[in-house]
Every structure is written in C-alpha cells, then in structure tokens.
Amino acid sequence: MSSEWPLWEVFIRGQHGLNHRHVGSLHAPDAEMAIRHARDVYTRRNEGVSIWVVKSGDIAASSPSEKGPLFDPSNDKVYRHPTFYDIPDEVGHM
Amino acid sequence: MYAQMVKTDGKGVKAPEDMTPEERHFQARIDAGEKIEPKEWMPEAYRQNLIRQIGQHAHSEIVGQLPEGNWITRAPTLERKAILLAKVQDEAGHGLYLYCAAETLGVSRDELTEALLSGKMKYSSIFNYPTLSWADMGAVGWLVDGAAIMNQVPLQRTSFGPYSRAMIRICKEESFHQRQGYDIMMKMARGTPEQREMAQDALNRFWYPSLMMFGPSDKDSVHSAQSMAWKIKINTNDELRQKFVDQTVPQAEYLGLTVPDPDLKWNEEKGGYDFSEPDWSEFFAVLKGNGPCNRDRLEARQEAWEEGRWFRDGLVAHARKAEARRVGVGVAAE
C-alpha cells in the first residue's frame, strides 16, 4: 500500500486575538496528525495560539475567471466609504 | 544557487509580437508587478520551469540537512547542539514550504520525492561537500546560508504567489542560520591556535564551493533571460556572486581569517572586489554526480524514504480504520 497523505490547509490564530489566518499547507494522514505537523512546521517561533486544519479538497474557491462578475459590482459604490461624505469642520471629528 | 542551472525551453524570450494574446496579457501582468496565482492561466513553459526551480530548491533544503545533521551528536556543548537541531529542523520546514508551493503547479509530492531519489532532479552542488570538523558548522551557516540569503531575499518579489510567500517565510527564519554560523566562527577564530586553524581550514574548503552556489556566469544564457522576464529569477548569477563576495570579505577580515584567493583585491573603480572564479570543471563534475558526497547524500535520502515506509503506511492504515469506525458509529446511531 503506497498512498500519498492528503493535503491540508493550515490556519493559525496569532497572539493578539486576530482571526485565524491561512499560513500554508501540508500533508498528513488524518486531522490529528495534520495539527501535530502544523505545530512543527508553522509555529516554531511562537506564531500562534490556535490551529485549524481543513482538507484542501474540501475548500470551495471562486475561480479567477469570475473575478470581474464577482468583484466589479463593488467598484462603483463609492458611497459605501466614509470619505464619500463631506462633513463640515465645525461639526468636529465623526 | 539553491536552484542551479534550471533550464527553460531554450528558445529565449519571445518578442511581444510573437506572443499569443494570452501570453501578452500574462507578461503585462508580470511587468506590472502582479502576482500569478495557481489557478490562473500561465504559459506551460512558465509552469514547468517553476516546478523544476522550486523543486530543486526544496530538494536542496532537504538534502541540506545531511551535512549538518552529521554533527548534531557531536556538538561541543548542549547549547550548540540545541541550536544546530533547531537549524536543521528549520531546513526541513523550508523544504516543506517549497514542496507545497511546487504542488500548487500540479505536480504531486510523491512525484517530486521520486524525482530526487532517482537522481532525475538535482539539488544544490554545495551539499555534496563533506563537513569534516566542527568549524564546518560555522562555515556552512556563515557562507552557505549567507549565499542562500543573497539569492532568496530578491526572490521574495518573484512573480509566482506561492513561491513568493514561501520565500518571505523562509527569509524571516534564515538570518538566525547565518548568525549562528558566524557566532561559531568567532568562537573558533578567537580560540586556541588549533581552533583558529580549524576555522581557517573550513573557510579554505567552503569558499569556492560557496561561490559556485550562484551557478556559472549567465551573461549570455537564454535560460536566464527568460527566467528574468518572468521574474522567477531577479538578479544574474554574477551580480549575486559579486554581492556575496563584497559582503563576506570584511566579515572574514573581522575574524582574522584569510580568504583563500591570492588575487582577491578591492577595485575602487567598480566599488567591489576583484576575485578568482571557482573551478567550473569541478562544479560540472559535482552537478553530474561526481562530487565527494553525491552517493552518500542520495543513499541517505533513499534509506530514509524506504525505512520510513512502514511508518507512513501505518499512519494511513490507522487513519482509514478510525474513519471507518466513525462512519460505522454514525450509521448505527441513525
């Protein structure tokens, strides 16, 4: 029996209460080993306080060719940004 | 360097008018400094070239553990042993980051491993030299990791996203490697006359092999021109080698050691050192498999792969059993 270990994506939460962030991937036979490997490969210098792993095959991703239809619609909605509105100086910080 | 003499299809850089619209768009994105991500369109030659380059780089990290692993059990103090262990563990990690980057291009980990073990893919020539004394641990960290950093820092800006991200992570960890090596050299150079002699001997043996790491002069190479247009190579081999010499010579002087090159001389006009070229026939011989340690290195990797097989398979069997049990319990509960 020779079968390659499946690929896992690794997410680490850093020290300061930020979101788990994707840091890379690794091969492991199961979730438990994936977490152990992730500890050794991605947190050798106190990079994290929590690890998530998920099988790469279980991730659904948007495709590069959809970039336009997916993301263009937000381009012309400048009114979603605070800088769109002029507030007089007299009003003070808002 | 860690990836030496990576061949492209050899046709040189295409002129824009010879490119397909897709190729033109691709090149324009690279010229604009955009990152190329795995699922996006890329020329087949770009993909193949990157697999070879990143694969070779990954293999170098893994094989690079061997010359240093040689001294773990014989480190002179517990502290030095812990440091060396941490460094060698880092190299394993660097290999893994790079293998993962290569895999995003559609090659599997097992294919890469098998290409290394069969000798089909290369690793850096430098790891085919033996580490004969403890001072070599100093020289390897100082010179070999120093040369590697010289190459890897610009590669953080490479056009392929996963490769660039792996390089950023590696560079962050790499400077500890060079500094611990220089620290060993300082200790030896200030030690007894015998220790000084060992330090000088290590520098003598590793100087030219370190210069070879950058590969032969690539002024006229079509491979380099294409790789540079694609931004998977940022500087020429000669630029990096010059930079390395200019940086390293003062460090050797500080140690009171002599660079083994009688023709080494500061050139005021170019603002850098003139130095002797390494023996390129030796370089090609080592690359072909005829260096002092090529056979040992490959045998060590093959042995590790073969003797670890039962363990890898055991873990897979355990994972499958546990999965089957979980599914079985789920069914029974319904």
Side-chain angles (χ1 to χ4, degrees):
Chain A
M1 179 182 60
S2 169
S3 50
E4 196 172 278
W5 292 345
L7 194 65
W8 301 75
E9 299 301 323
V10 180
F11 300 80
I12 307 270
R13 187 206 292 286
Q15 306 279 357
H16 307 294
L18 298 173
N19 291 327
H20 282 77
R21 208 174 136 212
H22 182 244
V23 293
S25 46
L26 49 76
H27 288 273
D30 57 25
E32 188 193 340
M33 288 304 292
I35 288 176
R36 281 168 189 251
H37 288 173
R39 201 268 319 242
D40 290 344
V41 179
Y42 291 107
T43 67
R44 288 195 302 282
R45 288 176 177 77
N46 291 325
E47 286 91 340
V49 294
S50 163
I51 300 173
W52 287 351
V53 294
V54 57
K55 266 196 190 148
S56 307
D58 291 341
I59 290 183
S62 64
S63 104
S65 59
E66 292 171 321
K67 215 157 146 191
L70 275 180
F71 304 113
D72 284 354
S74 71
N75 267 351
D76 55 1
K77 295 177 180 58
V78 282
Y79 45 83
R80 284 182 170 162
H81 297 278
T83 44
F84 179 74
Y85 305 94
D86 283 328
I87 304 293
D89 286 347
E90 301 92 280
V91 180
H93 179 72
M94 184 179 286
Chain B
M1 153 56 16
Y2 270 26
Q4 293 157 325
M5 305 202 60
V6 175
K7 292 200 165 51
T8 59
D9 61 8
K11 293 188 197 111
V13 186
K14 269 192 196 170
E17 57 271 22
D18 297 332
M19 291 180 182
T20 64
E22 270 171 323
E23 286 172 332
R24 242 194 317 268
H25 177 66
F26 177 80
Q27 189 61 50
R29 290 188 58 202
I30 288 183
D31 294 342
E34 279 183 43
K35 295 279 180 249
I36 308 301
E37 295 299 335
K39 287 167 118 190
E40 295 168 348
W41 186 88
M42 61 185 80
E44 196 46 31
Y46 175 87
R47 180 189 301 277
Q48 291 309 328
N49 220 47
L50 266 176
I51 290 175
R52 279 196 290 269
Q53 178 172 335
I54 302 173
Q56 204 181 105
H57 197 155
H59 296 327
S60 298
E61 300 284 355
I62 297 301
V63 177
Q65 296 178 98
L66 297 170
E68 290 181 301
N70 185 33
W71 281 90
I72 290 175
T73 57
R74 291 175 287 167
T77 66
L78 186 57
E79 185 186 58
R80 293 287 183 196
K81 180 173 177 159
I83 292 171
L84 188 57
L85 260 174
K87 180 183 189 286
V88 171
Q89 193 190 17
D90 270 359
E91 308 297 359
H94 295 178
L96 295 180
Y97 305 154
L98 286 160
Y99 281 132
C100 284
E103 286 174 82
T104 65
L105 291 159
V107 64
S108 77
R109 177 74 60 93
D110 279 1
E111 284 173 89
L112 289 167
T113 304
E114 276 153 22
L116 169 67
L117 298 184
S118 70
K120 211 175 102 197
M121 279 179 91
K122 303 281 178 226
Y123 53 87
S124 176
S125 56
I126 191 73
F127 301 119
N128 290 312
Y129 290 87
T131 45
L132 304 176
S133 83
W134 173 253
D136 288 11
M137 295 302 96
V140 167
W142 171 36
L143 301 173
V144 176
D145 289 272
I149 290 170
M150 205 111 261
N151 178 56
Q152 290 169 345
V153 165
L155 276 177
Q156 293 177 100
R157 293 180 280 119
T158 189
S159 61
F160 186 56
Y163 193 24
S164 157
R165 291 190 283 274
M167 279 298 124
I168 290 169
R169 183 170 282 277
I170 287 173
C171 285
K172 237 190 249 168
E173 299 179 347
E174 196 86 69
S175 89
F176 136 61
H177 296 180
Q178 192 185 15
R179 291 172 72 129
Q180 67 84 35
Y182 196 71
D183 190 60
I184 292 174
M185 289 308 266
M186 285 197 295
K187 197 87 178 176
M188 302 287 285
R190 289 177 192 155
T192 63
E194 288 81 3
Q195 287 169 329
R196 250 192 91 68
E197 194 42 53
M198 283 166 71
Q200 180 64 53
D201 175 59
L203 172 59
N204 291 349
R205 283 181 290 107
F206 277 95
W207 176 254
Y208 287 107
S210 299
L211 296 188
M212 290 179 202
M213 286 176 68
F214 299 96
S217 177
D218 53 6
K219 287 194 285 283
D220 315 311
S221 161
V222 289
H223 303 309
S224 285
Q226 178 60 79
S227 292
M228 289 178 88
W230 279 334
K231 290 192 190 158
I232 57 182
K233 181 175 178 136
I234 310 289
N235 303 93
T236 69
N237 296 348
D238 292 324
E239 279 168 8
L240 292 172
R241 188 166 18 249
Q242 181 70 53
K243 234 174 132 184
F244 175 74
V245 171
D246 293 345
Q247 172 189 286
T248 309
V249 170
Q251 295 168 349
E253 281 166 0
Y254 180 83
L255 294 171
L257 300 179
T258 310
V259 172
D261 178 358
D263 296 326
L264 182 82
K265 189 165 92 258
W266 177 256
N267 180 332
E268 190 62 50
E269 210 174 300
K270 78 171 178 186
Y273 286 91
D274 291 331
F275 57 94
S276 304
E277 292 275 306
D279 176 359
W280 290 114
S281 61
E282 176 182 319
F283 171 77
F284 288 112
V286 172
L287 217 59
K288 257 183 135 170
N290 299 320
C293 299
N294 295 59
R295 199 139 49 97
D296 280 0
R297 301 297 186 233
L298 263 194
E299 275 172 10
R301 289 314 306 153
Q302 285 159 349
E303 199 180 304
W305 183 247
E306 287 309 321
E307 292 187 1
R309 184 185 301 278
W310 68 272
F311 185 66
R312 295 193 303 274
D313 288 349
L315 288 176
V316 172
H318 172 76
R320 284 185 184 155
K321 258 191 187 165
E323 178 67 24
R325 213 174 301 132
R326 204 168 29 246
V327 172
V329 168
V331 170
E334 273 167 22

